[in-house]
Amino acid sequence: MFDISDYTLTRRKSSATSVVYSSQQCIDLLKINKANSEILFSLARSAGYIGAKLTPQVFARRHVLSIDSLDITFSYIYPDTDKIYFENYSSFEAGILIYAVASSIGRAPVDMECLSAAAATGLQLYEQLYEQEQNLELGSVKLHNEERGASEYIPCNVKCAILVCSDSIATEHRQNKSGFIIEQLLKENNVTVVDHVVSTCDIECIRLQVRNWVERDITFIFTCGGTGLGSQDIIIDAVSPLIDKKVDGVTQLMYAQGQLNSPKAMFSRTLAGTIGKSFIVTLPGSTQGVKQSLNAILPDLFYAQKMLLATNS
């Protein structure tokens, strides 16, 4: 099965469509006999609900996911008004468009459940109409883009910098794995990493580097390591005096995600806030801690760019 253990709980929405293609005469009969057509649509909708719920039993690697809402609607479509649906079905005079929308608060999208609903609804409708119309075809089964419960803000020209705080990495006794994981995850979110520095656990060196980035208008600064309880874990001591405004909501999200994966996450001292026009987040040093923390706050964190620009304009 797919590993979704690092995914965060969030509101997710998916939609899918399918079309039952038929003759104009078939559609006209449905319009005339509205009572009968309502029964057909009701049964087809029920099949869609069942199809969505049985998705994990059909697809072997699929998790059992919660479906918090599922809405299935029908509409008549024609070649002259809905050309996009008839590009590959030019021999048909009309069709019934099935539109399924599902939402959930969970770790994974309900896209396949939504697609199953659209397909099962179409198959049930096909079976019912086949008694009176043999020239039918089920097609245009398509999944639309998933909508994640994230900020609608699209980051623009976001510049990021990474500061890895570790004596062992600075002296090349250990590889900088976590730092490159941060860089990879940031690039996957279409932002620019302009600097990636490894520093010893020295308070003044850390402050000097952070101030340098703030003066260069680096939008987001991510530190890695130094968040534990050891004598060399001084990142909070170095960064705290520089913070203008703490943003506890960011750290709370990281803590919540970390606790789901390891009770040891409660010992990580993290900090997030603004320094001038920049936003800084201190991340743990472990590779898993970095992944979990960033998965919890990205891409929503980049909305801070808009707030910083508005505040400083």
Side-chain angles (χ1 to χ4, degrees):
M1 299 177 77
F2 295 107
D3 184 6
I4 61 173
S5 58
D6 286 337
Y7 290 19
T8 57
L9 287 169
T10 187
R11 186 178 186 276
R12 300 171 183 273
K13 184 178 180 181
S14 296
S15 59
T17 54
S18 66
V19 178
V20 177
Y21 294 95
S22 68
S23 65
Q24 181 65 57
Q25 181 182 8
C26 179
I27 299 299
D28 290 341
L29 289 173
L30 287 173
K31 288 184 175 181
I32 293 171
N33 194 342
K34 291 185 178 181
N36 182 56
S37 62
E38 283 302 315
I39 293 173
L40 293 178
F41 290 150
S42 178
L43 289 172
R45 188 179 287 111
S46 296
Y49 294 154
I50 294 171
K53 293 176 181 179
L54 295 181
T55 300
Q57 298 183 34
V58 177
F59 301 99
R61 300 180 66 187
R62 193 70 182 171
H63 291 269
V64 178
L65 302 177
S66 170
I67 305 173
D68 296 326
S69 72
L70 176 59
D71 186 37
I72 301 172
T73 58
F74 305 87
S75 60
Y76 300 116
I77 58 174
Y78 307 94
D80 56 338
T81 57
D82 306 279
K83 294 180 181 179
I84 189 172
Y85 292 106
F86 290 87
E87 289 178 354
N88 299 317
Y89 300 90
S90 57
S91 61
F92 289 95
E93 301 172 327
I96 303 171
L97 175 66
I98 299 157
Y99 184 61
V101 181
S103 63
S104 172
I105 296 178
R107 288 190 173 188
V110 285
D111 48 6
M112 289 306 297
E113 286 73 11
C114 198
L115 192 63
S116 295
T121 302
L123 287 170
Q124 179 65 38
L125 199 56
Y126 184 105
E127 182 201 30
Q128 295 171 124
L129 293 175
Y130 192 75
E131 295 179 6
Q132 63 188 46
E133 173 72 48
Q134 281 71 54
N135 186 28
L136 296 171
E137 187 169 342
L138 176 63
S140 297
V141 181
K142 182 180 179 180
L143 179 69
H144 301 277
N145 291 334
E146 182 216 354
E147 298 176 22
R148 185 175 175 269
S151 162
E152 295 181 357
Y153 178 67
I154 300 175
C156 179
N157 298 322
V158 171
K159 295 184 291 184
C160 299
I162 302 166
L163 178 61
V164 178
C165 306
S166 170
D167 288 338
S168 58
I169 295 177
T171 55
E172 298 185 351
H173 286 87
R174 191 159 56 90
Q175 289 184 321
N176 181 20
K177 294 181 179 179
S178 295
F180 287 108
I181 288 174
I182 297 173
E183 187 168 336
Q184 178 186 348
L185 291 174
L186 290 175
K187 288 180 178 178
E188 288 176 1
N189 281 275
N190 301 314
V191 298
T192 304
V193 178
V194 298
D195 217 347
H196 185 161
V197 175
V198 177
S199 170
T200 57
C201 297
D202 181 276
I203 289 179
E204 289 307 316
C205 286
I206 292 170
R207 287 177 182 172
L208 183 64
Q209 183 61 72
V210 171
R211 287 194 185 104
N212 175 266
W213 283 332
V214 172
E215 290 173 2
R216 290 168 53 190
D217 291 331
I218 304 300
T219 322
F220 292 93
I221 300 169
F222 297 90
T223 72
C224 174
T227 61
L229 304 179
S231 59
Q232 297 301 306
D233 294 322
I234 47 80
I235 191 66
I236 303 302
D237 305 296
V239 172
S240 290
L242 306 179
I243 297 287
D244 295 324
K245 295 180 180 179
K246 288 178 63 179
V247 184
D248 292 330
V250 173
T251 55
Q252 287 167 7
L253 274 176
M254 294 194 293
Y255 277 131
Q257 181 66 10
Q259 282 294 112
L260 289 173
N261 291 273
S262 171
K264 297 177 183 177
M266 64 182 173
F267 296 112
S268 179
R269 300 180 303 140
T270 55
L271 183 65
T274 63
I275 306 176
K277 297 180 182 180
S278 301
F279 196 102
I280 189 167
V281 180
T282 63
L283 300 169
S286 69
T287 54
Q288 280 302 107
V290 161
K291 288 179 183 177
Q292 292 159 11
S293 296
L294 285 179
N295 283 334
I297 62 177
L298 297 182
D300 306 76
L301 180 71
F302 298 127
Y303 184 75
Q305 180 196 36
K306 182 178 181 180
M307 301 178 75
L308 287 168
L309 291 174
T311 301
N312 294 281
S313 59

